[in-house]
Amino acid sequence: MKRTIKKLLLLLTIFSLLICGCNGKSNSDSKNKKTLRVGTNAEFAPFEYINDDGECDGFDIGLIKAILSEAGYDCEVVNMEFKSLIGSLTTGGIDVTIAGMTITDERKQSVDFSTPYYTATQCIIVPIGSDITSLDDLNGKKVAVQEGTTGDLIVTPSDTNEIITDKNTVVKQFKKASDATVELLNGGVDAVVIDSSPAKKIVAANESKLTCFNDTSEEEYAIAVAKGNSELLDAINKGLETVKENGTYDELVDKYINNESTTKTYEKTGNVFVDFINKCKFVFVDTNGYIRLLNGLWVTLYISFLAVILGVILGFIVAFMRLSKDRHGKNTVASVIAGIYIDIIRGTPAVVQLLIMYMVIFQSKLGTVAAVVTFGINSGAYVSEIIRAGITAVDKGQMEGGRSLGFSYFETMKYIIIPQAIKNILPALGNEFITLIKETAIVGYVAIADLTKASDFIISRTYETFLPLLAIAIIYYLIVKILTKCLAIFERRLRRSDIR
Ligand code: GLN
């Protein structure tokens, strides 16, 4: 038993090191340069998006790399939710933010902005033939926006909003521009309000269905750093000046903003079968969707696997804590602590635990490790109850028998009770693994590219929802089916050893 636990711990350490290795380059990559963590939200093409190779790409990414290299820094790009960027700068989770972020008075109170690097406006995307022709027309309508952006601010009725005054205006906030667009394509809203360049990309990818116009004043994008970090801000401003002078800035504008080729679509022939094949090719092959799915599958599997190992180790510890009694048969402090842990974990949603772990405890660093720890701790609570039930299910006489043979309490546990309990709990532990695999589907919240996030990626590139979602549903189903089959075989074997 001890040896098995040692082996599991070793495996866990090796995997954690591997993950840390995959998670980003460490400072030792470049011996002299300091690596800065650059936060972005890669859902805002052409400024930032995930390219076909699964990497953060876009105008902003090219620009910040050039600026930081001028300033003598290396950079590691961290993809996160747009509304978390300012908070992460303040808490030190990231050093710099570049995300097509508009300078606003409210944001200026929390962060310091560089000199502006791009001027934009907000665009209103509507279905072709819509009667909405001005911002004013959005009064009383349903509008989709990206949560926490200036588009959101412009259309949400408030005391300071002079244009959208109708309180019946429904504003649906989405995490991503592509989700807002899918909502518009599905008829769930009348318009999407978003910045001009992303709007043009969205319309280009849906040119037979959508059109856009702008009817707002100009806004300026800038790079943000934590308040008071004037040394870094000066270096960024100088770097920006240099890349504008040496032509890098214009090259990036040509490459990303003036270039139409990032927009992909597929030809419709009218033949249902041929169109379906073309659509599948477009969704899964042309945008490298199948690679995203395979990578996502691997991430889902290893996060679940490591979390289950951590969960089992924790589960054993907590179960023994929970079962511990003092000399008078009363619950020990350890037992009470274990009870509180189980109570809290079972009483709060896993997604909340994940967000607390990643944003508060890990400070937006080491996302995969944060996910493994979250799911390990989460699973530990359930596993401990399974183990406790397994141990208490072993007949009391077994303990008495062991003790009367001269074994100590721990020896009886080790040689008599636990081996029997394990047989009882293995099927339930298997089920816990299956449940965990499906539960990890929420890791996309902290920008981990798991299987579910892979479908998200495909949807945001193709605006096709059915095929990617169907694909991941089938993959999850198959994993669960295979595991269930393996468990059934395992259980049959265990039962066979019982019949003698
Ligand atoms: N420019 C907008 C803002 O700053 C949107 C930015 C974004 O969605 N990345 O709110």
Side-chain angles (χ1 to χ4, degrees), residues 96-297:
V96 182
T97 284
I98 188 160
M101 187 178 275
T102 304
I103 305 175
T104 66
D105 288 340
E106 206 187 14
R107 288 175 185 160
K108 266 202 242 168
Q109 305 197 338
S110 318
V111 293
D112 285 342
F113 282 106
S114 67
T115 40
Y117 67 86
Y118 195 80
T119 306
T121 57
Q122 292 294 309
C123 261
I124 299 155
I125 308 178
V126 289
I128 291 173
S130 161
D131 52 5
I132 298 171
T133 53
S134 69
L135 191 60
D136 199 26
D137 288 344
L138 294 180
N139 271 297
K141 295 275 186 344
K142 288 187 193 143
V143 192
V145 294
Q146 196 184 351
E147 191 179 19
T149 60
T150 36
D152 186 356
L153 214 68
I154 284 172
V155 293
T156 302
S158 72
D159 298 340
T160 50
N161 195 334
E162 284 164 12
I163 302 175
I164 308 296
T165 46
D166 187 341
K167 296 271 183 286
N168 293 322
T169 312
V170 177
V171 179
K172 292 194 184 176
Q173 297 172 310
F174 290 89
K175 299 238 179 290
K176 297 183 296 170
S178 55
D179 288 348
T181 310
V182 168
E183 184 78 3
L184 179 65
L185 290 167
N186 287 343
V189 288
D190 305 297
V192 170
V193 177
I194 191 173
D195 298 42
S196 39
S197 293
K200 280 182 198 133
K201 293 279 173 198
I202 290 170
V203 170
N206 298 281
E207 55 189 359
S208 59
K209 297 174 195 148
L210 304 177
T211 178
C212 72
F213 60 91
N214 56 39
D215 189 22
T216 62
S217 50
E218 289 187 339
E219 39 189 83
E220 312 223 74
Y221 294 171
I223 300 160
V225 299
K227 226 172 173 34
N229 194 350
S230 49
E231 192 190 325
L232 181 57
L233 197 62
D234 286 347
I236 288 175
N237 281 336
K238 271 196 204 107
L240 179 59
E241 223 170 274
T242 315
V243 298
K244 276 192 167 172
E245 277 163 11
N246 68 15
T248 311
Y249 181 92
D250 291 334
E251 275 168 27
L252 290 169
V253 170
D254 282 344
K255 181 171 174 197
Y256 292 103
I257 299 177
N258 297 338
N259 174 6
E260 303 288 314
S261 70
T262 42
T263 309
K264 288 180 177 164
T265 187
Y266 72 102
E267 296 273 319
K268 285 205 177 100
T269 61
N271 179 323
V272 183
F273 180 70
V274 176
D275 280 356
F276 179 73
I277 301 290
N278 281 348
K279 197 187 214 175
C280 286
K281 187 175 159 287
F282 168 60
V283 170
F284 297 117
V285 184
D286 292 352
T287 51
N288 281 354
Y290 73 99
I291 298 177
R292 296 279 81 72
L293 287 174
L294 287 175
N295 289 343
L297 173 64

